[in-house]
Amino acid sequence: MTWLALACGGFTWTLLEYLLHRFVFHERLLGVTPAREHLEHHAKVDWFAPFGPKLLLAAIVLPALSLVAVPLAGWAPGLVFVGGVVGGWLAYEGLHRAIHVWPPHTAYGRWARRHHLYHHFGDPRRNHGVSSPLWDFVFRTFTPVSTVTVPARSARKLPWLLDGDAVHPTLAGTYVLAPARTAP
Ligand SMILES: [Zn+2]
Ligand SMILES: [Zn+2]
């Protein structure tokens, strides 16, 4: 039961990841303030939202989830479920940072970078999921990506992408440099 509650929490995080990213950060459902850091991250891909605003968001979301989960499932399963959400959230934070700062080492890592960097440089209305494409399929915002065109000035902020001034030879089939354009 504990593992099931934990897994349900991790799975629920993947939905929250999508909903927060799309509706709160991009469509500004809760106003401009929660979206500001994310839009700054889009403008500067080597800049990440500080922990303070993230903790504030967690301090709103996690108690709200607890208020639903505990009455539905009981104290222990409800809190383990919320722990699963926290685990998913932390894993997402690590994955998102890795996408931007480290080269891919696995097929999943290569997919995650294509999927997320298309969201950055191709169309910010598509591919809102970072850890999985599931909710992009469900909400019809999934775009399959084979090639990502990256503005040259942004490519310099992805330390794993370049070898000198050109795309690293191991990534040349997937990433193409383009002249700089205005940020989305
Ligand atoms: Zn990003
Ligand atoms: Zn975004």
Side-chain angles (χ1 to χ4, degrees), residues 38 41-42 45 48 96 99-100 116-117 119-120:
H38 186 70
H41 170 62
H42 268 264
V45 290
F48 298 92
H96 181 230
I99 284 172
H100 283 269
H116 183 60
L117 295 177
H119 169 78
H120 269 278

Side-chain angles (χ1 to χ4, degrees), residues 74-144:
W75 274 104
L79 292 180
V80 170
F81 167 82
V82 174
V85 174
V86 172
W89 200 331
L90 292 173
Y92 154 81
E93 292 288 348
L95 172 66
H96 181 230
R97 184 68 68 115
I99 284 172
H100 283 269
V101 302
W102 290 325
H105 295 294
T106 63
Y108 174 75
R110 286 187 284 278
W111 169 82
R113 281 161 183 76
R114 287 196 309 275
H115 186 76
H116 183 60
L117 295 177
Y118 179 80
H119 169 78
H120 269 278
F121 304 121
D123 187 346
R125 295 166 301 180
R126 312 289 295 174
N127 294 359
H128 293 284
V130 173
S131 60
S132 108
L134 173 63
W135 301 104
D136 283 302
F137 282 126
V138 171
F139 290 102
R140 297 176 175 272
T141 54
F142 175 75
T143 295

Side-chain angles (χ1 to χ4, degrees), residues 16-37:
L16 267 178
E17 174 191 300
Y18 182 94
L19 296 177
L20 288 171
H21 188 183
R22 177 177 172 182
F23 293 107
V24 176
F25 298 152
H26 280 280
E27 300 188 11
R28 304 178 194 184
L29 196 66
L30 300 180
V32 173
T33 302
R36 191 174 294 132
E37 275 89 13

